[in-house]
Amino acid sequence: MDKAAGFAPTEGNAVAGTDSVSDVDYRLIGLSPQYWSYTRLSVGDLNSLPLINGVDCFIAPRHLDAESDASSDQWHIFPLSRVLLRGVVTAIDKRPNGCTLIVIDDGTGAIDCRCWEESSNSAFHLPALLPQHQTSINKNGLRYDIGDSVEVMGKIKTLTAGNASSAAGSTLSENNTTQLEVRFGCVREVHATSICTIDKQQTYIANVRNSESVHWLKCINVEKEVCEQNSTMKNGKEVLSLLGDKISSSLLRDGDSTTIGKKNVLVRQCCQTSQRFRQALFYCHCEATLETLDSTFSFRDALLNHLLDCESELRHIGSCLHHSATEDCMDLYGAEPNSMPPPFLFTFQSTCSDASLSSIARSLVESTNLPDANMQRLFQKTFAAMTKDGLLSLYDPEEDLYLLVSCNRVLEPFLKRSKGMDDGGFVRPNIPEPFFIRSIPRKRLNELASYLATQQSNSS
């Protein structure tokens, strides 16, 4: 039995295109229950899985109806991250760092499995995933030996990306908006989370002396379940269709310029974000990273109001506290120092020392066990969340200097100069995006660029 499942196509096989949204779209991968499950595979099939857009994928042919077009949707793509293997230990290598490297061979191939031995008295010790796995721990001082039959549950780790296949990639990308990169011949290993030594007693109790045959049959059955039209195994795109239009559109809208609605953040009635934040930052709290100490965003609102008030007081570059850094910042996005109000650069410590912000932060954490520590944590976590959301940017780590990425003083000047939408028609396409522009979510930039283009066309 040299091919248990047969779901990994070779490089020469023709793989038909998918829908406009790919099965390996980064927004949908985590929706698939199979991605988080331990899928039974033979070692040979695991080694031959293609790497599609950096994700290990399992491909199986679909069962098409007689009326279906045989040239489309012929393959089912399932991203995988975890596997369940069964084989014989052929080599053991104990490493000085506590890691043990074992080689598992099941007749279709061999693969390295890494595991880390933990004492049951360790604070980091976790119980076994299955009861029978617990009984095999520390048997005669060792978990396993060469020649033992073992069952391994672990995560797939790709060590080398293999060779790119332009033919398979172009075929997969026929009906997709983005090109898919398909690679074959990847080198992989398994980081084991649980290893069970299969002894005679366990074999008799669990599978009546035929556990190896049961494993092979289950590997073969994986492909059959995938090929069935009403299978319980679904990838992220199939799960997305079950979530309804509202949730599906919200998931697909992030980062996709083709799904941006006609209503931008200035007129969208999606949450209770104040109009000041929408106009000044082109942002609403629907895009915010949640901080548990500030679940209602009351501290974030106070911090944003404080920063916008400080920015509004800056009329010209001569009034900036960080004059040199402000000039450098404006030069990065192509603005002359005296041509517009300067951006607002500030330090983390200056906000922590503000009495009003400190009072609001303390009122939020005063009921916790460690109010002083949690108040400092609230400041730090809120800054980190706002940096992740593209509202702030750490401009100079050595000086602890942050930039408020506002529309009027940062985003609009950059977009107008790079796209030739300023008053003088000035275009500087050779200037690369500054690092603080690259941290802005693409959706926000696309919406703002579309809004500015609309404003320009209406004015003309």
Side-chain angles (χ1 to χ4, degrees), residues 281-332:
L281 303 168
F282 218 78
Y283 150 89
C284 69
H285 288 330
C286 295
E287 308 167 10
T289 301
L290 182 63
E291 166 54 37
T292 55
L293 292 176
D294 185 30
S295 58
T296 59
F297 300 112
S298 57
F299 179 73
R300 177 182 285 222
D301 288 347
L303 178 57
L304 286 176
N305 278 317
H306 171 75
L307 296 177
L308 291 174
D309 289 341
C310 293
E311 183 189 60
S312 63
E313 295 175 1
L314 293 178
R315 301 297 183 182
H316 51 83
I317 196 169
S319 60
C320 297
L321 296 177
H322 309 279
H323 186 275
S324 177
T326 304
E327 283 188 344
D328 294 340
C329 178
M330 297 181 71
D331 184 63
L332 286 176

Side-chain angles (χ1 to χ4, degrees), residues 16 64-74:
L64 300 176
D65 298 332
E67 300 178 356
S68 301
D69 183 6
S71 62
S72 64
D73 292 333
Q74 292 184 355

Side-chain angles (χ1 to χ4, degrees), residues 417-435:
R417 283 165 173 77
S418 62
K419 297 181 181 298
M421 292 188 294
D422 61 337
D423 295 336
F426 184 56
V427 184
R428 301 180 66 179
N430 295 327
I431 296 181
E433 284 188 353
F435 64 92

Side-chain angles (χ1 to χ4, degrees), residues 21-39:
V21 179
S22 170
D23 290 327
V24 292
D25 191 289
Y26 72 96
R27 296 164 292 184
L28 307 183
I29 291 175
L31 294 178
S32 172
Q34 200 62 36
Y35 182 77
W36 305 104
S37 304
Y38 291 92
T39 305

Side-chain angles (χ1 to χ4, degrees), residues 209-250:
R209 302 182 184 276
N210 62 352
S211 60
E212 186 174 1
S213 300
V214 171
H215 171 75
W216 283 108
L217 292 173
K218 288 183 177 180
C219 288
I220 297 172
N221 191 54
V222 169
E223 183 191 8
K224 293 182 178 180
E225 291 184 5
V226 172
C227 295
E228 293 177 357
Q229 292 183 356
N230 297 323
S231 172
T232 57
M233 295 177 61
K234 299 183 182 297
N235 59 22
K237 187 165 62 176
E238 293 169 332
V239 173
L240 184 69
S241 63
L242 304 176
L243 300 179
D245 294 339
K246 184 176 181 180
I247 297 178
S248 299
S249 61
S250 65

Side-chain angles (χ1 to χ4, degrees), residues 252-408:
L252 295 179
R253 184 170 61 242
D254 184 19
D256 188 354
S257 60
T258 62
T259 58
I260 295 175
K262 295 181 179 179
K263 294 184 178 180
N264 58 45
V265 70
L266 299 180
V267 296
R268 194 164 54 226
Q269 301 296 326
C270 52
C271 61
Q272 300 300 319
T273 306
S274 69
Q275 196 65 22
R276 184 187 190 187
F277 299 157
R278 294 175 185 267
Q279 294 176 348
L281 303 168
F282 218 78
Y283 150 89
C284 69
H285 288 330
C286 295
E287 308 167 10
T289 301
L290 182 63
E291 166 54 37
T292 55
L293 292 176
D294 185 30
S295 58
T296 59
F297 300 112
S298 57
F299 179 73
R300 177 182 285 222
D301 288 347
L303 178 57
L304 286 176
N305 278 317
H306 171 75
L307 296 177
L308 291 174
D309 289 341
C310 293
E311 183 189 60
S312 63
E313 295 175 1
L314 293 178
R315 301 297 183 182
H316 51 83
I317 196 169
S319 60
C320 297
L321 296 177
H322 309 279
H323 186 275
S324 177
T326 304
E327 283 188 344
D328 294 340
C329 178
M330 297 181 71
D331 184 63
L332 286 176
Y333 57 83
E336 298 296 331
N338 297 318
S339 62
M340 54 171 287
F344 178 49
L345 289 151
F346 62 98
T347 61
F348 174 77
Q349 189 59 38
S350 65
T351 59
C352 292
S353 59
D354 184 81
S356 176
L357 292 176
S358 298
S359 175
I360 295 174
R362 182 166 292 279
S363 66
L364 291 174
V365 301
E366 61 184 358
S367 60
T368 61
N369 294 331
L370 300 171
D372 293 335
N374 283 331
M375 186 176 75
Q376 184 68 16
R377 177 179 179 269
L378 178 58
F379 272 95
Q380 294 174 348
K381 292 292 186 180
T382 302
F383 262 72
M386 291 171 62
T387 302
K388 181 179 179 181
D389 297 337
L391 304 178
L392 304 179
S393 177
L394 182 57
Y395 185 81
D396 188 346
E398 294 184 359
E399 298 293 334
D400 193 28
L401 200 60
Y402 283 82
L403 168 68
L404 177 63
V405 189
S406 63
C407 285
N408 294 335

